[in-house]
Structures are given as structure tokens and as C-alpha cells.
Coordinates of all heavy atoms in Angstrom, one line a residue:
M1016 N -22.7 0.4 -2.8 CA -22.0 -0.7 -2.9 C -21.2 -1.0 -1.5 O -20.7 0.0 -1.0 CB -20.9 -0.7 -4.0 CG -20.3 -2.1 -4.3 SD -19.5 -2.1 -5.9 CE -18.1 -0.9 -5.6
K1017 N -21.3 -2.2 -1.0 CA -20.6 -2.5 0.3 C -19.1 -2.5 0.1 O -18.6 -3.0 -0.9 CB -21.2 -3.9 0.7 CG -20.7 -4.2 2.1 CD -21.5 -5.5 2.5 CE -20.9 -6.1 3.7 NZ -19.6 -6.8 3.6
R1018 N -18.5 -1.9 1.1 CA -17.0 -1.8 1.0 C -16.4 -3.1 1.5 O -16.9 -3.7 2.5 CB -16.5 -0.7 1.9 CG -16.7 0.7 1.4 CD -16.0 1.7 2.2 NE -16.3 3.0 1.8 CZ -15.7 4.0 2.6 NH1 -15.0 3.8 3.6 NH2 -16.0 5.3 2.1
P1019 N -15.4 -3.5 0.8 CA -14.7 -4.8 1.2 C -13.8 -4.5 2.5 O -13.5 -3.3 2.8 CB -13.8 -5.1 0.0 CG -13.5 -3.8 -0.6 CD -14.8 -2.9 -0.4
P1020 N -13.5 -5.5 3.2 CA -12.7 -5.3 4.4 C -11.2 -4.9 4.1 O -10.7 -5.2 3.0 CB -12.7 -6.6 5.1 CG -12.9 -7.6 4.1 CD -13.8 -6.9 3.1
E1021 N -10.5 -4.3 5.0 CA -9.1 -4.1 4.9 C -8.4 -5.4 5.1 O -8.7 -6.1 6.1 CB -8.6 -3.0 5.9 CG -7.1 -2.8 5.8 CD -6.7 -1.6 6.6 OE1 -7.1 -0.4 6.2 OE2 -5.9 -1.7 7.6
I1022 N -7.5 -5.7 4.2 CA -6.8 -7.0 4.4 C -5.3 -6.8 4.3 O -4.8 -5.9 3.6 CB -7.2 -8.0 3.2 CG1 -7.0 -7.5 1.9 CG2 -8.6 -8.6 3.5 CD1 -7.2 -8.5 0.8
R1023 N -4.6 -7.6 5.0 CA -3.1 -7.6 5.0 C -2.6 -8.4 3.8 O -3.1 -9.5 3.6 CB -2.5 -8.1 6.3 CG -1.0 -7.9 6.4 CD -0.5 -8.4 7.7 NE 1.0 -8.3 7.7 CZ 1.8 -8.7 8.6 NH1 1.3 -9.2 9.7 NH2 3.1 -8.6 8.5
I1024 N -1.7 -7.8 3.1 CA -1.1 -8.5 1.9 C 0.4 -8.6 2.1 O 1.0 -7.8 2.8 CB -1.5 -7.9 0.6 CG1 -1.0 -6.4 0.5 CG2 -3.0 -7.9 0.3 CD1 -1.2 -5.7 -0.9
N1025 N 1.0 -9.6 1.5 CA 2.4 -9.8 1.5 C 3.1 -9.1 0.3 O 2.4 -8.6 -0.6 CB 2.9 -11.3 1.7 CG 2.4 -12.1 0.5 OD1 2.4 -11.7 -0.6 ND2 2.0 -13.4 0.7
Q1026 N 4.4 -9.1 0.3 CA 5.1 -8.3 -0.7 C 4.9 -8.9 -2.1 O 4.9 -8.2 -3.1 CB 6.6 -8.3 -0.4 CG 7.0 -7.6 0.9 CD 7.2 -6.2 0.8 OE1 7.1 -5.6 -0.3 NE2 7.6 -5.6 1.9
F1027 N 4.8 -10.2 -2.1 CA 4.6 -11.0 -3.4 C 3.2 -10.5 -4.0 O 3.1 -10.2 -5.2 CB 4.6 -12.5 -3.2 CG 4.2 -13.2 -4.4 CD1 5.1 -13.3 -5.5 CD2 3.0 -13.9 -4.5 CE1 4.8 -14.0 -6.6 CE2 2.6 -14.5 -5.6 CZ 3.6 -14.6 -6.7
Q1028 N 2.2 -10.6 -3.0 CA 0.8 -10.1 -3.5 C 0.8 -8.7 -4.0 O 0.1 -8.4 -5.0 CB -0.2 -10.3 -2.4 CG -0.4 -11.8 -2.1 CD -1.2 -12.1 -0.8 OE1 -1.0 -11.3 0.2 NE2 -2.0 -13.1 -0.8
L1029 N 1.6 -7.8 -3.2 CA 1.6 -6.4 -3.6 C 2.3 -6.3 -5.1 O 1.8 -5.5 -5.9 CB 2.6 -5.6 -2.7 CG 2.8 -4.2 -2.9 CD1 1.5 -3.4 -2.8 CD2 3.9 -3.6 -2.1
A1030 N 3.3 -7.0 -5.3 CA 3.9 -7.1 -6.6 C 3.0 -7.5 -7.8 O 3.1 -7.0 -8.8 CB 5.2 -8.0 -6.6
V1031 N 2.1 -8.4 -7.4 CA 1.1 -8.9 -8.4 C 0.1 -7.8 -8.7 O -0.3 -7.6 -9.9 CB 0.4 -10.1 -7.9 CG1 -0.8 -10.5 -8.8 CG2 1.4 -11.3 -7.8
L1032 N -0.3 -7.1 -7.7 CA -1.3 -6.0 -7.9 C -0.8 -4.8 -8.7 O -1.6 -4.2 -9.4 CB -1.8 -5.6 -6.5 CG -2.8 -6.4 -5.8 CD1 -3.0 -6.0 -4.3 CD2 -4.1 -6.4 -6.5
L1033 N 0.4 -4.4 -8.5 CA 0.9 -3.2 -9.1 C 1.5 -3.4 -10.4 O 2.3 -4.4 -10.6 CB 2.0 -2.5 -8.2 CG 1.5 -2.2 -6.8 CD1 2.8 -1.6 -6.0 CD2 0.4 -1.2 -6.7
N1034 N 1.2 -2.6 -11.4 CA 1.9 -2.6 -12.7 C 3.2 -1.9 -12.5 O 3.5 -1.4 -11.5 CB 1.0 -2.1 -13.9 CG 0.7 -0.6 -13.7 OD1 1.5 0.1 -13.1 ND2 -0.4 -0.2 -14.3
D1035 N 4.0 -1.9 -13.6 CA 5.4 -1.3 -13.5 C 5.4 0.2 -13.0 O 6.1 0.6 -12.2 CB 6.1 -1.4 -14.8 CG 6.5 -2.9 -15.1 OD1 6.4 -3.7 -14.2 OD2 7.0 -3.2 -16.2
E1036 N 4.4 0.9 -13.6 CA 4.3 2.3 -13.3 C 4.0 2.6 -11.8 O 4.5 3.4 -11.1 CB 3.3 2.9 -14.2 CG 3.2 4.4 -14.3 CD 2.1 5.0 -15.1 OE1 1.7 4.3 -16.1 OE2 1.5 6.0 -14.7
Q1037 N 3.0 1.7 -11.4 CA 2.5 1.8 -10.0 C 3.6 1.3 -9.0 O 3.7 2.0 -8.0 CB 1.3 1.0 -9.9 CG 0.0 1.6 -10.5 CD -1.1 0.6 -10.8 OE1 -0.9 -0.6 -10.7 NE2 -2.3 1.2 -11.0
K1038 N 4.3 0.4 -9.4 CA 5.5 -0.1 -8.7 C 6.5 1.0 -8.4 O 7.0 1.2 -7.4 CB 6.1 -1.3 -9.3 CG 7.2 -2.0 -8.5 CD 6.6 -2.9 -7.4 CE 7.7 -3.7 -6.7 NZ 8.6 -2.9 -5.9
N1039 N 6.8 1.7 -9.6 CA 7.8 2.7 -9.5 C 7.3 3.9 -8.6 O 8.1 4.5 -7.8 CB 8.1 3.3 -10.9 CG 8.9 2.4 -11.8 OD1 9.5 1.5 -11.3 ND2 8.8 2.6 -13.1
F1040 N 6.0 4.2 -8.7 CA 5.4 5.2 -7.9 C 5.5 4.8 -6.4 O 5.9 5.6 -5.5 CB 4.0 5.5 -8.3 CG 3.3 6.5 -7.4 CD1 3.6 7.8 -7.4 CD2 2.2 6.1 -6.6 CE1 2.9 8.8 -6.7 CE2 1.5 7.0 -5.8 CZ 1.9 8.4 -5.9
F1041 N 5.1 3.6 -6.1 CA 5.1 3.0 -4.7 C 6.6 3.1 -4.2 O 6.8 3.6 -3.1 CB 4.7 1.5 -4.8 CG 4.7 0.9 -3.4 CD1 3.5 0.9 -2.6 CD2 5.8 0.2 -3.0 CE1 3.6 0.3 -1.4 CE2 5.8 -0.4 -1.8 CZ 4.7 -0.4 -0.9
D1042 N 7.5 2.6 -4.9 CA 8.9 2.7 -4.5 C 9.4 4.1 -4.2 O 10.1 4.3 -3.3 CB 9.9 2.0 -5.6 CG 9.6 0.5 -5.5 OD1 9.1 -0.1 -4.6 OD2 10.1 -0.1 -6.6
A1043 N 9.0 5.0 -5.1 CA 9.4 6.4 -4.9 C 8.8 7.0 -3.6 O 9.5 7.7 -2.9 CB 9.0 7.2 -6.1
V1044 N 7.6 6.7 -3.4 CA 6.9 7.2 -2.2 C 7.7 6.7 -0.9 O 8.0 7.4 0.0 CB 5.4 6.9 -2.1 CG1 4.8 7.1 -0.8 CG2 4.7 7.6 -3.2
V1045 N 7.8 5.3 -0.9 CA 8.5 4.7 0.2 C 9.9 5.2 0.5 O 10.4 5.4 1.6 CB 8.5 3.1 0.0 CG1 9.3 2.4 1.0 CG2 7.0 2.6 0.1
A1046 N 10.6 5.4 -0.7 CA 12.0 5.9 -0.6 C 12.2 7.3 -0.1 O 13.2 7.7 0.5 CB 12.7 5.7 -1.9
G1047 N 11.2 8.1 -0.4 CA 11.4 9.5 -0.1 C 10.3 10.4 0.2 O 10.3 11.7 0.2
N1048 N 9.1 9.8 0.4 CA 7.9 10.7 0.6 C 7.0 10.3 1.7 O 5.8 10.4 1.7 CB 7.2 10.8 -0.7 CG 6.3 12.0 -0.7 OD1 6.3 12.9 0.1 ND2 5.4 12.1 -1.8
V1049 N 7.6 9.7 2.8 CA 6.9 9.3 4.0 C 7.2 10.2 5.1 O 8.4 10.4 5.4 CB 7.2 7.8 4.4 CG1 6.3 7.4 5.6 CG2 6.9 6.9 3.2
F1050 N 6.3 10.9 5.7 CA 6.5 11.8 6.8 C 6.7 11.1 8.1 O 5.9 10.1 8.5 CB 5.4 12.8 6.9 CG 5.6 13.9 8.0 CD1 6.4 15.0 7.7 CD2 5.0 13.7 9.3 CE1 6.6 15.9 8.7 CE2 5.3 14.7 10.3 CZ 6.1 15.7 10.0
C1051 N 7.8 11.4 8.9 CA 8.0 10.8 10.1 C 7.8 11.9 11.2 O 8.4 13.0 11.2 CB 9.5 10.4 10.2 SG 9.9 9.7 11.9
A1052 N 6.8 11.6 12.2 CA 6.5 12.5 13.2 C 7.6 12.7 14.1 O 7.7 13.8 14.8 CB 5.2 12.0 13.9
H1053 N 8.4 11.7 14.3 CA 9.5 11.7 15.3 C 10.7 12.6 14.8 O 11.2 13.4 15.5 CB 10.1 10.3 15.5 CG 9.1 9.3 15.9 ND1 8.7 9.1 17.1 CD2 8.3 8.5 15.1 CE1 7.7 8.2 17.2 NE2 7.5 7.8 15.9
C1054 N 11.0 12.5 13.4 CA 12.0 13.4 12.9 C 11.4 14.7 12.5 O 12.1 15.7 12.3 CB 12.5 12.7 11.5 SG 13.4 11.2 11.7
G1055 N 10.1 14.9 12.4 CA 9.4 16.1 12.0 C 9.7 16.5 10.6 O 9.7 17.6 10.2
D1056 N 10.0 15.4 9.8 CA 10.4 15.6 8.4 C 10.1 14.3 7.6 O 9.7 13.4 8.2 CB 11.9 15.9 8.3 CG 12.3 16.6 7.0 OD1 11.5 16.7 6.1 OD2 13.5 17.0 6.9
V1057 N 10.3 14.4 6.3 CA 10.2 13.1 5.6 C 11.3 12.2 6.0 O 12.4 12.7 6.4 CB 10.1 13.3 4.1 CG1 8.9 14.0 3.6 CG2 11.4 14.0 3.6
C1058 N 11.1 10.9 5.8 CA 12.2 10.0 6.2 C 13.2 10.0 5.1 O 13.0 9.4 4.0 CB 11.6 8.6 6.3 SG 10.3 8.4 7.4
N1059 N 14.3 10.8 5.2 CA 15.3 11.0 4.2 C 16.0 9.7 3.8 O 16.5 9.7 2.7 CB 16.3 12.0 4.7 CG 15.6 13.4 4.7 OD1 14.9 13.8 3.8 ND2 15.8 14.1 5.9
S1060 N 16.1 8.8 4.7 CA 16.8 7.5 4.4 C 15.7 6.5 4.0 O 16.1 5.3 3.9 CB 17.5 7.0 5.5 OG 18.4 8.1 6.0
G1061 N 14.5 6.8 3.8 CA 13.5 5.9 3.4 C 12.9 5.2 4.6 O 13.3 5.5 5.8
I1062 N 12.1 4.2 4.4 CA 11.5 3.4 5.5 C 11.7 1.9 5.3 O 11.9 1.4 4.1 CB 10.0 3.7 5.7 CG1 9.2 3.1 4.5 CG2 9.7 5.2 5.8 CD1 7.7 3.0 4.7
T1063 N 11.6 1.1 6.4 CA 11.7 -0.3 6.2 C 10.2 -0.8 6.4 O 9.5 -0.4 7.4 CB 12.5 -1.0 7.4 OG1 13.8 -0.4 7.2 CG2 12.4 -2.5 7.2
I1064 N 9.6 -1.4 5.3 CA 8.3 -1.8 5.4 C 8.1 -3.0 6.2 O 8.8 -4.0 6.2 CB 7.8 -2.1 3.9 CG1 7.9 -0.9 3.0 CG2 6.3 -2.7 3.9 CD1 7.6 -1.2 1.6
E1065 N 7.0 -2.9 7.1 CA 6.8 -4.1 8.0 C 5.5 -4.8 7.6 O 5.3 -6.0 7.6 CB 6.8 -3.7 9.5 CG 8.1 -3.3 10.0 CD 8.2 -2.8 11.4 OE1 7.1 -2.5 12.0 OE2 9.3 -2.7 12.0
E1066 N 4.5 -3.9 7.3 CA 3.2 -4.5 7.0 C 2.6 -3.7 5.8 O 2.8 -2.4 5.8 CB 2.2 -4.4 8.2 CG 2.6 -5.3 9.3 CD 1.6 -5.2 10.4 OE1 1.5 -4.1 11.0 OE2 1.0 -6.2 10.8
V1067 N 1.9 -4.4 4.9 CA 1.1 -3.7 3.8 C -0.3 -4.2 3.9 O -0.5 -5.3 4.0 CB 1.8 -4.1 2.5 CG1 1.1 -3.3 1.4 CG2 3.3 -3.8 2.5
F1068 N -1.2 -3.2 3.7 CA -2.6 -3.5 3.7 C -3.3 -3.0 2.5 O -2.9 -2.0 2.0 CB -3.3 -2.9 4.9 CG -2.8 -3.4 6.3 CD1 -1.7 -2.7 6.9 CD2 -3.4 -4.4 6.9 CE1 -1.2 -3.3 8.1 CE2 -2.9 -4.9 8.1 CZ -1.9 -4.3 8.7
L1069 N -4.3 -3.8 2.1 CA -5.2 -3.2 1.0 C -6.4 -2.7 1.7 O -7.1 -3.5 2.5 CB -5.5 -4.4 0.1 CG -6.3 -4.1 -1.2 CD1 -5.6 -3.1 -2.1 CD2 -6.7 -5.3 -1.9
T1070 N -6.7 -1.4 1.7 CA -7.8 -0.8 2.5 C -9.2 -1.1 1.9 O -9.3 -1.6 0.8 CB -7.5 0.7 2.6 OG1 -7.9 1.3 1.4 CG2 -6.1 1.0 2.9
D1071 N -10.2 -0.7 2.6 CA -11.5 -0.8 2.1 C -11.8 0.0 0.9 O -12.8 -0.3 0.2 CB -12.5 -0.5 3.2 CG -12.4 1.0 3.8 OD1 -11.4 1.6 3.4 OD2 -13.3 1.4 4.4
L1072 N -10.9 1.0 0.5 CA -11.1 1.7 -0.7 C -10.1 1.2 -1.8 O -10.0 1.9 -2.8 CB -10.9 3.2 -0.4 CG -12.0 3.9 0.4 CD1 -11.6 5.4 0.7 CD2 -13.3 3.8 -0.2
N1073 N -9.4 0.1 -1.5 CA -8.5 -0.4 -2.4 C -7.3 0.6 -2.6 O -6.7 0.6 -3.7 CB -9.1 -0.9 -3.7 CG -9.8 -2.2 -3.5 OD1 -9.5 -3.0 -2.7 ND2 -10.9 -2.3 -4.4
D1074 N -7.0 1.2 -1.5 CA -5.7 2.0 -1.5 C -4.7 1.0 -0.8 O -5.0 0.1 -0.2 CB -5.8 3.3 -0.7 CG -6.7 4.3 -1.5 OD1 -6.6 4.3 -2.7 OD2 -7.5 5.0 -0.8
I1075 N -3.4 1.4 -0.9 CA -2.4 0.6 -0.2 C -1.9 1.4 1.0 O -1.5 2.6 1.0 CB -1.1 0.4 -1.1 CG1 -1.6 -0.3 -2.4 CG2 -0.1 -0.4 -0.4 CD1 -2.0 -1.8 -2.3
H1076 N -2.0 0.7 2.2 CA -1.6 1.3 3.5 C -0.3 0.6 3.9 O -0.3 -0.6 4.2 CB -2.7 1.1 4.4 CG -2.6 1.9 5.7 ND1 -3.4 1.8 6.8 CD2 -1.7 2.9 6.0 CE1 -3.0 2.7 7.8 NE2 -1.9 3.3 7.3
V1077 N 0.7 1.4 4.0 CA 2.0 0.8 4.4 C 2.4 1.2 5.8 O 2.3 2.4 6.1 CB 3.2 1.4 3.5 CG1 4.5 0.8 3.9 CG2 2.9 1.0 2.0
K1078 N 2.9 0.2 6.6 CA 3.3 0.5 7.9 C 4.7 0.0 8.1 O 5.0 -1.1 7.6 CB 2.4 -0.2 9.0 CG 1.0 0.4 9.1 CD 0.2 -0.3 10.2 CE -1.2 0.3 10.1 NZ -2.1 -0.4 11.1
G1079 N 5.6 0.7 8.7 CA 6.9 0.4 8.9 C 7.7 1.3 9.8 O 7.1 1.9 10.7
T1080 N 9.1 1.3 9.7 CA 9.8 2.1 10.5 C 10.7 3.1 9.7 O 11.2 2.7 8.6 CB 10.7 1.3 11.4 OG1 11.5 0.4 10.7 CG2 10.0 0.5 12.5
C1081 N 10.9 4.2 10.3 CA 11.8 5.3 9.7 C 13.2 4.8 9.7 O 13.7 4.4 10.8 CB 11.6 6.6 10.4 SG 12.8 7.8 10.0
N1082 N 14.0 4.8 8.6 CA 15.3 4.3 8.6 C 16.3 5.3 9.3 O 17.4 4.9 9.6 CB 15.8 4.1 7.2 CG 15.2 2.9 6.5 OD1 14.6 2.0 7.3 ND2 15.2 2.8 5.2
T1083 N 15.8 6.5 9.6 CA 16.7 7.5 10.3 C 16.6 7.3 11.8 O 17.6 7.2 12.5 CB 16.3 8.9 9.9 OG1 16.3 9.1 8.5 CG2 17.2 10.0 10.6
C1084 N 15.4 7.3 12.3 CA 15.2 7.2 13.8 C 14.6 6.0 14.3 O 14.5 5.8 15.5 CB 14.3 8.5 14.2 SG 12.6 8.3 13.8
N1085 N 14.2 5.1 13.4 CA 13.6 3.8 13.8 C 12.1 3.9 14.3 O 11.6 3.0 14.9 CB 14.5 3.1 14.8 CG 14.7 1.7 14.3 OD1 14.5 1.3 13.2 ND2 15.0 0.8 15.3
G1086 N 11.6 5.1 14.2 CA 10.2 5.4 14.7 C 9.2 4.8 13.8 O 9.5 4.5 12.6
K1087 N 8.0 4.5 14.3 CA 6.9 4.0 13.6 C 6.4 5.0 12.6 O 6.1 6.2 12.9 CB 5.8 3.6 14.5 CG 6.2 2.4 15.3 CD 6.1 1.1 14.7 CE 6.5 -0.1 15.6 NZ 6.9 -1.3 14.8
V1088 N 6.2 4.6 11.4 CA 5.6 5.4 10.3 C 4.6 4.7 9.5 O 4.5 3.4 9.5 CB 6.7 6.0 9.3 CG1 7.6 6.9 10.0 CG2 7.5 4.8 8.7
A1089 N 3.7 5.4 9.0 CA 2.6 4.8 8.1 C 2.3 5.8 7.0 O 2.5 6.9 7.1 CB 1.3 4.6 8.9
R1090 N 2.0 5.2 5.9 CA 1.7 6.0 4.7 C 0.5 5.3 3.9 O 0.6 4.1 3.6 CB 2.9 6.2 3.9 CG 2.7 7.0 2.6 CD 2.4 8.5 2.9 NE 3.0 9.4 1.9 CZ 2.4 9.7 0.7 NH1 1.2 9.2 0.5 NH2 3.0 10.6 -0.1
L1091 N -0.4 6.2 3.5 CA -1.5 5.7 2.6 C -1.1 6.1 1.2 O -0.9 7.3 1.0 CB -2.9 6.3 3.1 CG -4.1 5.8 2.2 CD1 -4.3 4.3 2.7 CD2 -5.3 6.6 2.6
I1092 N -1.1 5.2 0.3 CA -0.8 5.5 -1.1 C -2.0 5.1 -1.9 O -2.5 4.0 -1.9 CB 0.4 4.6 -1.6 CG1 1.6 4.8 -0.6 CG2 0.8 5.0 -2.9 CD1 2.8 3.9 -0.9
E1093 N -2.6 6.2 -2.5 CA -3.9 6.1 -3.2 C -3.8 5.4 -4.6 O -3.3 6.0 -5.5 CB -4.6 7.4 -3.2 CG -5.0 7.8 -1.8 CD -5.6 9.2 -1.8 OE1 -6.0 9.7 -2.9 OE2 -5.9 9.8 -0.7
F1094 N -4.3 4.2 -4.7 CA -4.5 3.6 -6.0 C -5.9 3.3 -6.3 O -6.3 3.1 -7.5 CB -3.7 2.3 -6.0 CG -2.2 2.4 -6.0 CD1 -1.4 2.0 -4.9 CD2 -1.6 2.9 -7.1 CE1 -0.1 2.2 -4.9 CE2 -0.2 3.1 -7.1 CZ 0.5 2.6 -6.0
G1095 N -6.8 3.3 -5.3 CA -8.2 2.9 -5.5 C -9.0 3.7 -6.4 O -10.0 3.2 -6.9
E1096 N -8.6 5.0 -6.6 CA -9.3 5.8 -7.6 C -9.0 5.5 -9.0 O -9.7 5.9 -9.9 CB -9.0 7.3 -7.3 CG -9.7 7.7 -6.0 CD -9.6 9.2 -5.8 OE1 -9.0 9.9 -6.7 OE2 -10.0 9.7 -4.8
D1097 N -8.0 4.6 -9.3 CA -7.7 4.2 -10.5 C -8.6 2.9 -10.8 O -8.4 1.9 -10.2 CB -6.2 3.8 -10.6 CG -5.8 3.2 -12.0 OD1 -6.6 2.6 -12.6 OD2 -4.6 3.3 -12.3
Q1098 N -9.5 3.1 -11.7 CA -10.5 2.1 -11.9 C -9.9 0.7 -12.3 O -10.4 -0.3 -11.8 CB -11.5 2.5 -13.0 CG -12.8 1.6 -13.1 CD -13.7 1.7 -11.8 OE1 -13.8 2.7 -11.3 NE2 -14.1 0.6 -11.3
E1099 N -8.9 0.7 -13.1 CA -8.2 -0.4 -13.5 C -7.6 -1.2 -12.2 O -7.7 -2.4 -12.1 CB -7.1 -0.2 -14.5 CG -6.6 -1.4 -15.2 CD -5.5 -1.0 -16.2 OE1 -5.7 0.1 -16.9 OE2 -4.6 -1.8 -16.4
F1100 N -7.0 -0.4 -11.4 CA -6.4 -1.0 -10.2 C -7.5 -1.5 -9.3 O -7.4 -2.6 -8.7 CB -5.5 0.0 -9.5 CG -5.0 -0.5 -8.2 CD1 -3.7 -1.3 -8.3 CD2 -5.6 -0.4 -7.0 CE1 -3.2 -1.9 -7.1 CE2 -5.0 -1.0 -5.9 CZ -3.9 -1.7 -5.9
Y1101 N -8.6 -0.8 -9.1 CA -9.7 -1.1 -8.2 C -10.2 -2.5 -8.8 O -10.4 -3.3 -7.8 CB -10.7 -0.1 -8.3 CG -11.8 -0.2 -7.3 CD1 -11.7 0.4 -6.0 CD2 -12.9 -1.1 -7.5 CE1 -12.7 0.2 -5.0 CE2 -13.9 -1.3 -6.5 CZ -13.8 -0.6 -5.3 OH -14.7 -0.8 -4.4
N1102 N -10.4 -2.7 -10.0 CA -11.0 -3.9 -10.5 C -10.0 -5.1 -10.3 O -10.4 -6.1 -9.9 CB -11.3 -3.8 -12.0 CG -12.5 -2.8 -12.3 OD1 -13.3 -2.5 -11.3 ND2 -12.6 -2.3 -13.5
K1103 N -8.7 -4.7 -10.4 CA -7.7 -5.8 -10.2 C -7.7 -6.2 -8.8 O -7.6 -7.4 -8.4 CB -6.4 -5.2 -10.7 CG -5.3 -6.2 -10.9 CD -4.1 -5.5 -11.6 CE -2.9 -6.4 -11.7 NZ -1.7 -5.7 -12.2
A1104 N -7.9 -5.2 -7.9 CA -7.9 -5.5 -6.5 C -9.1 -6.3 -6.1 O -9.0 -7.2 -5.2 CB -7.8 -4.1 -5.7
M1105 N -10.2 -6.0 -6.7 CA -11.4 -6.8 -6.4 C -11.2 -8.3 -6.9 O -11.7 -9.3 -6.2 CB -12.7 -6.2 -7.0 CG -13.0 -4.8 -6.5 SD -13.1 -4.8 -4.6 CE -14.8 -5.4 -4.4
D1106 N -10.7 -8.5 -8.1 CA -10.4 -9.8 -8.5 C -9.5 -10.5 -7.6 O -9.6 -11.7 -7.3 CB -9.8 -9.7 -10.0 CG -10.9 -9.4 -11.0 OD1 -12.1 -9.5 -10.7 OD2 -10.5 -9.0 -12.1
F1107 N -8.4 -9.8 -7.1 CA -7.5 -10.4 -6.2 C -8.1 -10.8 -5.0 O -7.9 -11.9 -4.5 CB -6.4 -9.3 -5.9 CG -5.5 -9.6 -4.8 CD1 -4.5 -10.6 -4.9 CD2 -5.7 -9.1 -3.6 CE1 -3.7 -11.0 -3.8 CE2 -4.9 -9.4 -2.5 CZ -3.9 -10.3 -2.5
R1108 N -9.0 -10.0 -4.5 CA -9.8 -10.4 -3.2 C -10.6 -11.7 -3.4 O -10.6 -12.5 -2.5 CB -10.7 -9.2 -2.8 CG -10.1 -8.0 -2.3 CD -11.1 -6.9 -2.1 NE -10.5 -5.7 -1.6 CZ -10.3 -5.4 -0.3 NH1 -10.6 -6.4 0.6 NH2 -9.8 -4.3 0.1
K1109 N -11.1 -11.8 -4.6 CA -11.9 -13.0 -4.8 C -10.9 -14.2 -4.9 O -11.2 -15.3 -4.4 CB -12.7 -12.9 -6.2 CG -14.0 -12.3 -6.1 CD -14.7 -12.2 -7.4 CE -15.5 -10.9 -7.6 NZ -15.5 -10.5 -9.0
S1110 N -9.9 -14.0 -5.5 CA -8.9 -15.1 -5.8 C -8.3 -15.7 -4.4 O -8.0 -16.9 -4.3 CB -7.7 -14.7 -6.7 OG -6.9 -13.9 -6.0
I1111 N -8.2 -14.8 -3.4 CA -7.6 -15.3 -2.2 C -8.7 -15.7 -1.2 O -8.3 -16.3 -0.1 CB -6.8 -14.2 -1.5 CG1 -7.6 -13.0 -1.1 CG2 -5.5 -13.9 -2.3 CD1 -6.8 -12.0 -0.2
Q1112 N -9.9 -15.6 -1.6 CA -11.0 -16.2 -0.7 C -11.2 -17.7 -0.8 O -11.6 -18.4 0.0 CB -12.4 -15.6 -1.1 CG -12.6 -14.3 -0.3 CD -13.8 -13.5 -0.8 OE1 -14.6 -14.1 -1.6 NE2 -14.1 -12.4 -0.3
N1113 N -10.7 -18.2 -2.0 CA -10.8 -19.6 -2.2 C -9.6 -20.4 -1.7 O -8.6 -19.9 -1.6 CB -11.0 -19.8 -3.8 CG -12.2 -19.1 -4.3 OD1 -13.2 -18.9 -3.6 ND2 -12.0 -18.5 -5.5
Ligands
ZN2049 ZN1 12.2 9.4 11.8

């Protein structure tokens, strides 16, 4: 099966894609489980999200800045292996093509 392209999504679209459980997981990762290369540690103060992408595997790729040092950080959060999420993401892709 041909992989779909990576697309940038906004916060509203992200909120539509994630169910409550996934949203909690996403928030928890962003708040305390993103590694900062500049700090050499996880971003203890969380990160400020600048861009969110839906990857070719329907995972969520977050790019932003570390709230401690202001350095650039990125984190891939895997949702694409969840079949329900994958299908929802594919439907979402179709809906924004029109
Ligand atoms: Zn940092």
C-alpha cells in the first residue's frame, strides 16, 4: 500500500483526531517526556508546541521549543499502529483534500 504524505495539521485538527485517552497520552508526553539535546535531559518544564505533523505512518510528529532552555525539540508520538486511529487519520486525510 502506498504511504500517504506527511502533512502539517493545526491544533484543532489534532483535537479532532485524538480521542480522550489519546489526548491525555499526548499531553503527558508533551508535558514531561520529550528529550532535549541542549539540556541533555527531558524537558522538565514541558515544551511549547510550534508545529504538529501527521506522518506517512499516521504517527504524530511534534516540533517545538524546550520551556527550560528554549532549544528546538521534536518528538514522534506513535499512534499509527492503532488501527482505529490509522483509519480515522485516513478518513481525515480524505476530508481535507476536498
Ligand atoms: Zn532544553
Side-chain angles (χ1 to χ4, degrees):
M1016 192 166 64
K1017 189 169 168 285
R1018 285 187 185 177
E1021 176 166 297
I1022 53 171
R1023 187 175 172 182
I1024 59 174
N1025 62 37
Q1026 300 270 3
F1027 174 76
Q1028 292 167 324
L1029 178 69
V1031 170
L1032 279 169
L1033 302 179
N1034 65 28
D1035 287 350
E1036 191 184 327
Q1037 289 161 340
K1038 183 82 171 69
N1039 288 341
F1040 177 68
F1041 179 91
D1042 288 343
V1044 170
V1045 166
N1048 199 7
V1049 179
F1050 183 80
C1051 175
H1053 310 272
C1054 294
D1056 199 355
V1057 293
C1058 306
N1059 291 314
S1060 309
I1062 68 167
T1063 300
I1064 296 172
E1065 290 177 348
E1066 293 179 300
V1067 181
F1068 297 88
L1069 187 63
T1070 74
D1071 60 348
L1072 292 174
N1073 286 330
D1074 292 324
I1075 302 290
H1076 192 190
V1077 176
K1078 291 181 185 176
T1080 52
C1081 168
N1082 286 344
T1083 304
C1084 73
N1085 230 21
K1087 293 279 179 201
V1088 292
R1090 177 68 146 85
L1091 185 70
I1092 306 173
E1093 293 181 8
F1094 287 113
E1096 286 186 3
D1097 179 333
Q1098 193 62 44
E1099 195 181 322
F1100 179 84
Y1101 191 93
N1102 292 340
K1103 198 171 174 185
M1105 293 311 278
D1106 286 345
F1107 165 76
R1108 288 172 179 277
K1109 273 182 219 150
S1110 75
I1111 59 169
Q1112 271 172 6
N1113 302 323

